[in-house]
Amino acid sequence: MKSNTEQMTDAFPLPTRPEDIIPSLVDRFNSGDVRNQMALYAPDAVFVANDGRVITDHEEIASIIGRDIKLGLPLKTNVRHVFVGGDTAQIIVDWSIEGKGPDGKEIRLGGSACDIARRGADGFWRYIIDNNQGTAVRQPA
């Protein structure tokens, strides 16, 4: 019998090409389980919070991402560019999460992300920097 981690890996294989990172991210996000999305993050990955903080703790990253996943609304994306240099890729993507939240209120989240991914020794691509607001000006909290 397979463990939960092995089953998740089967359901959401890690991307082997940089252009497959965003489709994998969307599928994982829309699965409703933050663990699926967190599998896309390298152990040394960082997340740039909306207030400009750089977060390295994966539990905190999962908590932030989990809040958006728990809204139950689909993530939509438009990939603008994927630039690759060796085992590193920069991904520019417009994203949105829109609709009525669990409380019935209208939700409109989105931005233009500037993310960095790296191909690991195992051949799979994972996030090393998740900067979902890209070049947006941030003010520390």
Side-chain angles (χ1 to χ4, degrees):
M1 183 169 200
K2 292 184 178 183
S3 71
N4 285 343
T5 303
E6 289 172 317
Q7 289 172 353
M8 281 189 284
T9 302
D10 289 347
F12 301 99
L14 288 168
T16 57
R17 303 176 321 154
E19 58 269 23
D20 294 335
I21 294 169
I22 298 302
S24 181
L25 172 81
V26 170
D27 288 345
R28 290 162 183 272
F29 183 96
N30 292 340
S31 78
D33 189 335
V34 72
R35 292 173 300 175
N36 292 330
Q37 186 165 347
M38 291 307 297
L40 270 180
Y41 289 77
D44 58 343
V46 300
F47 181 89
V48 181
N50 288 351
D51 64 8
R53 290 179 303 126
V54 175
I55 301 168
T56 58
D57 179 71
H58 279 224
E59 287 184 28
E60 187 175 356
I61 295 170
S63 175
I64 293 168
I65 292 169
R67 282 192 298 256
D68 290 344
I69 288 175
K70 286 178 186 172
L71 294 171
L73 299 171
L75 172 65
K76 296 179 183 175
T77 61
N78 177 46
V79 178
R80 286 202 261 160
H81 304 286
V82 177
F83 301 110
V84 180
D87 291 334
T88 305
Q90 179 187 47
I91 304 164
I92 311 296
V93 59
D94 300 320
W95 64 275
S96 64
I97 300 169
E98 297 179 354
K100 290 196 185 297
D103 61 0
K105 292 183 181 175
E106 198 64 32
I107 294 173
R108 294 184 81 100
L109 303 173
S112 294
C114 179
D115 299 327
I116 306 295
R118 176 178 60 214
R119 181 175 36 222
D122 59 4
F124 296 115
W125 288 85
R126 294 177 182 86
Y127 278 93
I128 57 172
I129 300 173
D130 182 346
N131 184 0
N132 72 7
Q133 295 300 311
T135 61
V137 176
R138 295 175 172 98
Q139 300 297 325

